[in-house]
Amino acid sequence: MKTYPALRVQKNLSNKLDQASRREHIENYTKIEKAFNDVLSRDYKHRTDEQNAHNTKQITHGNTTLDKLLTYRLAQIENLVTGVDGDGVKEVTDSRVSTDGTSHELLSERLLHDFNNVSETIDNVNKKFVEINFDTYNPDKSGKVPVNTLLQSALNEIRDADAGTLIIKNGVYLINKRVTVHSNTTIKMEDNAVLLRGNDRAILDFGNINEMFYGYEGVQNIHLIGGTLDCNLEEINKYPTDAANTINIRHAQNVSFYNVKFRNTLSYHAVDINGVKDIYFTNCIFEGYKNLNGTSGKEAIQIAEIVKGGVGGPGSWDGTPCKNVVITGCVFRASNIAPSFDVAIGNHASIHNIYQENIKVTNNTFEECKVGVYPFKWVNVEISGNTFDKNSTCVHIAATRGNMNSAKDVNGIPSKQSQGGDIYLIKDNVFRNYKNYGVYAYGEEYNDSIGYIGHIRINDNTFICDNNDNGKNIVMALCRHVHIKGNNMTYSYRGIYITGSHNIFIDNNYIENIKTEGIFVNDSAYSGFAMQTNHLNITNNTINSTGRNCMNIHNSRFLYINNNKTLNANLQTEDSVNRGGIFLTDCRNGRIESNDNWGVTDSFAIYGTKLTNVVAFNNGGSGTVRLTGTDAYVGYYNVDSNNNIIKHSTKG
């Protein structure tokens, strides 16, 4: 039995009159309106247009159905036509009737009639899927005479045909007024085709800037292939502006860019994405960024909720987030006349209880950016296979503090609540020669509200930094459920820095030639549960050649430091502080087991102060082991005659 798509509305609505409730009602009403209008449309079409709405099996005639009766009658006619007067005579007579039932005097007239009908049908189909060569509009290709009116006419022709492709041949095309791209449009540009800014704002709008859309119901199915979009920094005096997005997109779905170059973005964004679902960038080049108005932190690709003030047009400012964004094989770099970007990919504002979701940044190259990737309260993010070279910060994961504008709801009402993103996979990247940070993840605290960044996996990356005075590989605060595993780190100021975080697993990393500490878990400046780092696991790591302690662990609860190798600590000559393999202070409830320490410059192998309920057992190598505090033992656990766990000292 054939099934049909069912209307499914949200029935388990929020019991609060908040933004979530408002969004659920809007989605329900939108679905109901769309379904009802679809029924009306189908009914009208059925009554006015459809010629073949039913088949003969559905129509009863007497005690049989119409299809059985027609089968019988056709067999009757066939027998009469072929069975009388020999072969062919009656058959030729019968063939003079055309497919629409019209009788013709001659067979040739009938054939011409049917042929004309077929040609008309083909023409109608072609008009629905047009392919336009922009050359047929005779555009200027020198970049001196504006062509935006002609380009808009060509794109409108595709709109009127419902779908189509525009071919733009090699040449420079001056755009002195932004051009609107409609749904179901593919633009194919040859390699040396350039759309050149000649106005004071954007080159292209995907969708009419004057139309209001909701959710993802704006333009659909727009694809840009090849060519260059150039913001024309060379002629900034001839075509002055203080800021210009190259492309604006809002409330859209199914958009892609393939092999497109974006050149010399001015102050804002190469592509400003607001409330878009299913958008793809493949093998694109973003080169050159010039800040003309003093704003900072603008992205080449901005991935944002749609909020008032974020992008031009009448709205709707319903907070629709971006979902399903894939950026792969792209390059972000300086141009021949402008430096690289403040931020290559990211966003700098948000809305309470709304998150960007399902973002993949894979196999790209980021060169000399201030920030490579800046996820601001994103969920389900993959950053893998990329190369980061000479950036200030490679990946900066950010959260919302409760007193920021980004903590307001979609109606501008302050939530006073901090929020962070969740689920980040940072894998198989190469981080080279960064000025500040390889990976920097900071949650936010406001009053008693903490916005943790959760479920972070930093696995199998390579960190190589030539900036030993400042470059830090991994820095994390107010994070939880963190796995740092299988990374290779050499030559930086610090290997891993963590504070105020929970459920941390640092496993099987190789950390070498670090100016200060290989792993530093610092005192927390936060409140409540975040006053310490809780559930800290440091296992199976090798830390070789550090200026200070190989590990420096402060203010942690439930810690397990097991099966690590620390070698050649305390290589610095700046002061006379005693340092060595593993140093701990103000830690509670933990084990330090089966670690080996080697080195001639170490002051100790393991040294712990102000410890509570900590046991060190079976640690080897060379140097001293010393623990002070309450129930701090060099020994192991045992069970007494009353079946209680006890500590057994083996010291001496």
Side-chain angles (χ1 to χ4, degrees):
M1 181 177 179
K2 186 175 182 180
T3 60
Y4 297 91
L7 172 63
R8 300 188 185 277
V9 297
Q10 174 65 264
K11 294 179 281 292
N12 185 21
L13 300 174
S14 172
N15 60 4
K16 298 180 181 179
L17 292 176
D18 56 6
Q19 180 57 32
S21 175
R22 180 178 182 272
R23 187 165 61 253
E24 288 167 350
H25 280 87
I26 289 174
E27 290 178 356
N28 281 349
Y29 295 147
T30 301
K31 289 178 180 178
I32 293 168
E33 180 184 51
K34 184 176 181 181
F36 186 72
N37 286 337
D38 186 56
V39 171
L40 291 178
S41 176
R42 289 173 182 269
D43 178 67
Y44 179 79
K45 182 179 180 182
H46 179 69
R47 288 185 288 108
T48 59
D49 296 337
E50 288 188 328
Q51 301 297 318
N52 301 299
H54 300 282
N55 61 56
T56 56
K57 290 182 180 180
Q58 297 172 283
I59 303 172
T60 302
H61 184 82
N63 62 353
T64 186
T65 59
L66 186 58
D67 72 309
K68 292 180 179 178
L69 183 62
L70 285 173
T71 300
Y72 170 72
R73 292 301 183 196
L74 288 172
Q76 238 183 359
I77 293 169
E78 181 180 349
N79 186 57
L80 290 172
V81 169
T82 58
V84 180
D85 299 332
D87 292 340
V89 178
K90 293 296 184 181
E91 190 172 0
V92 170
T93 302
D94 180 67
S95 68
R96 295 173 187 162
V97 181
S98 60
T99 56
D100 60 4
T102 303
S103 180
H104 299 270
E105 293 293 327
L106 298 173
L107 177 59
S108 61
E109 291 178 353
R110 173 257 160 177
L111 292 172
L112 180 61
H113 176 84
D114 282 347
F115 177 76
N116 288 336
N117 285 340
V118 171
S119 296
E120 184 178 353
T121 301
I122 292 173
D123 288 341
N124 289 335
V125 172
N126 286 338
K127 289 177 181 178
K128 293 293 183 181
F129 303 96
V130 298
E131 182 172 285
I132 299 172
N133 185 341
F134 192 42
D135 280 357
T136 60
Y137 282 79
N138 297 314
D140 177 81
K141 296 186 177 185
S142 68
K144 305 300 181 183
V145 180
V147 303
N148 46 280
T149 300
L150 299 177
L151 183 58
Q152 190 63 72
S153 296
L155 292 169
N156 289 348
E157 186 177 342
I158 292 174
R159 175 200 62 194
D160 296 340
D162 292 336
T165 299
L166 177 62
I167 307 297
I168 301 178
K169 301 290 187 178
N170 290 333
V172 180
Y173 303 89
L174 183 65
I175 309 298
N176 70 348
K177 184 179 180 181
R178 72 173 74 196
V179 175
T180 299
V181 184
H182 310 286
S183 291
N184 306 316
T185 298
T186 297
I187 301 175
K188 292 183 178 180
M189 301 172 64
E190 291 189 339
D191 289 345
N192 295 316
V194 179
L195 299 185
L196 186 67
R197 182 193 67 87
N199 58 20
D200 63 349
R201 283 298 179 255
I203 295 177
L204 298 177
D205 269 347
F206 284 12
N208 192 323
I209 191 175
N210 297 314
E211 293 186 42
M212 181 181 290
F213 301 104
Y214 299 86
Y216 304 108
E217 295 181 352
V219 292
Q220 317 279 312
N221 310 320
I222 295 178
H223 309 288
L224 184 55
I225 302 170
T228 297
L229 282 77
D230 192 331
C231 278
N232 202 3
L233 178 58
E234 288 88 345
E235 295 185 297
I236 192 67
N237 294 327
K238 184 176 181 180
Y239 304 106
T241 184
D242 66 341
N245 287 340
T246 308
I247 295 178
N248 293 321
I249 315 175
R250 60 186 75 75
H251 289 298
Q253 187 170 358
N254 192 23
V255 176
S256 71
F257 299 86
Y258 177 77
N259 199 29
V260 181
K261 179 184 287 187
F262 298 86
R263 187 170 182 272
N264 293 334
T265 302
L266 301 177
S267 300
Y268 288 165
H269 315 289
V271 185
D272 193 356
I273 308 170
N274 302 266
V276 178
K277 184 178 180 181
D278 303 327
I279 182 166
Y280 308 88
F281 294 84
T282 305
N283 296 346
C284 295
I285 295 175
F286 298 80
E287 63 177 24
Y289 171 79
K290 184 69 173 179
N291 192 334
L292 301 174
N293 62 9
T295 59
S296 61
K298 302 299 185 182
E299 303 85 2
I301 300 176
Q302 176 174 243
I303 304 170
E305 305 95 334
I306 186 157
V307 297
K308 194 170 185 178
V311 66
S316 165
W317 316 116
D318 58 6
T320 300
C322 289
K323 293 184 179 181
N324 308 336
V325 181
V326 177
I327 304 168
T328 187
C330 298
V331 177
F332 301 83
R333 68 191 184 198
S335 72
N336 61 327
I337 61 171
S340 193
F341 294 90
D342 274 12
V343 181
I345 300 168
N347 63 315
H348 53 273
S350 186
I351 301 174
H352 186 65
N353 278 345
I354 293 178
Y355 303 83
Q356 321 297 329
E357 294 185 33
N358 305 334
I359 316 295
K360 287 190 175 184
V361 180
T362 63
N363 301 312
N364 305 285
T365 299
F366 302 86
E367 297 178 356
E368 300 178 337
C369 302
K370 291 182 180 178
V371 180
V373 184
Y374 188 85
F376 189 68
K377 217 178 74 173
W378 295 359
V379 172
N380 196 18
V381 181
E382 178 182 341
I383 303 171
S384 65
N386 304 284
T387 297
F388 297 86
D389 193 12
K390 300 178 183 176
N391 302 277
S392 293
T393 296
C394 301
V395 176
H396 181 168
I397 304 172
T400 301
R401 191 171 60 252
N403 61 347
M404 296 170 63
N405 282 332
S406 293
K408 296 178 179 178
D409 70 12
V410 72
N411 298 311
I413 299 173
S415 71
K416 299 182 181 179
Q417 298 294 306
S418 302
Q419 288 185 329
D422 196 36
I423 310 177
Y424 292 86
L425 173 61
I426 303 172
K427 182 179 180 181
D428 293 326
N429 302 283
V430 175
F431 300 96
R432 298 181 59 219
N433 301 336
Y434 34 90
K435 295 179 181 178
N436 295 317
Y437 307 101
V439 177
Y440 183 87
Y442 252 63
E444 293 285 359
E445 180 184 39
Y446 177 70
N447 293 335
D448 60 347
S449 172
I450 295 178
Y452 285 103
I453 298 171
H455 296 95
I456 307 173
R457 286 186 291 160
I458 306 175
N459 298 346
D460 303 318
N461 303 281
T462 299
F463 296 82
I464 305 174
C465 183
D466 61 356
N467 179 20
N468 279 5
D469 290 328
N470 197 41
K472 303 172 185 67
N473 297 333
I474 298 173
V475 174
M476 314 189 83
L478 295 178
C479 298
R480 56 188 177 187
H481 309 300
V482 177
H483 285 239
I484 302 173
K485 182 176 181 179
N487 301 283
N488 192 316
M489 307 180 184
T490 57
Y491 297 103
S492 64
Y493 180 80
R494 180 171 286 126
I496 299 171
Y497 176 94
I498 292 173
T499 184
S501 299
H502 316 300
N503 300 312
I504 309 297
F505 296 83
I506 303 173
D507 180 66
N508 201 33
N509 301 282
Y510 183 77
I511 305 172
E512 181 182 34
N513 289 326
I514 307 299
K515 186 172 183 179
T516 57
E517 299 87 5
I519 298 174
F520 188 6
V521 180
N522 202 5
D523 290 313
S524 170
Y526 304 107
S527 60
F529 188 64
M531 290 178 67
Q532 303 90 26
T533 290
N534 295 281
H535 304 288
L536 174 66
N537 303 269
I538 304 176
T539 58
N540 302 304
N541 302 281
T542 297
I543 304 175
N544 183 11
S545 301
T546 61
R548 300 178 184 174
N549 300 306
C550 287
M551 297 186 199
N552 194 343
I553 314 299
H554 293 236
N555 198 19
S556 296
R557 303 293 183 265
F558 306 105
L559 68 156
Y560 298 86
I561 304 175
N562 303 329
N563 299 298
N564 301 283
K565 292 188 288 291
T566 56
L567 303 93
N568 304 313
N570 198 26
L571 296 177
Q572 59 85 31
T573 58
E574 299 161 1
D575 56 44
S576 57
V577 176
N578 293 328
R579 298 186 175 95
I582 301 173
F583 174 76
L584 307 96
T585 184
D586 193 20
C587 295
R588 181 187 296 268
N589 302 329
R591 293 192 185 199
I592 309 164
E593 294 185 0
S594 301
N595 303 283
D596 287 335
N597 179 80
W598 306 95
V600 296
T601 58
D602 301 20
S603 300
F604 52 82
I606 300 171
Y607 179 35
T609 68
K610 296 188 287 185
L611 304 180
T612 302
N613 195 24
V614 174
V615 171
F617 178 71
N618 195 34
N619 297 286
S622 63
T624 63
V625 175
R626 182 184 178 193
L627 306 183
T628 64
T630 303
D631 288 333
Y633 279 77
V634 175
Y636 58 89
Y637 285 99
N638 206 338
V639 177
D640 66 14
S641 59
N642 295 318
N643 301 318
N644 295 311
I645 296 174
I646 61 172
K647 302 177 190 68
H648 181 79
S649 176
T650 58
K651 188 173 181 179

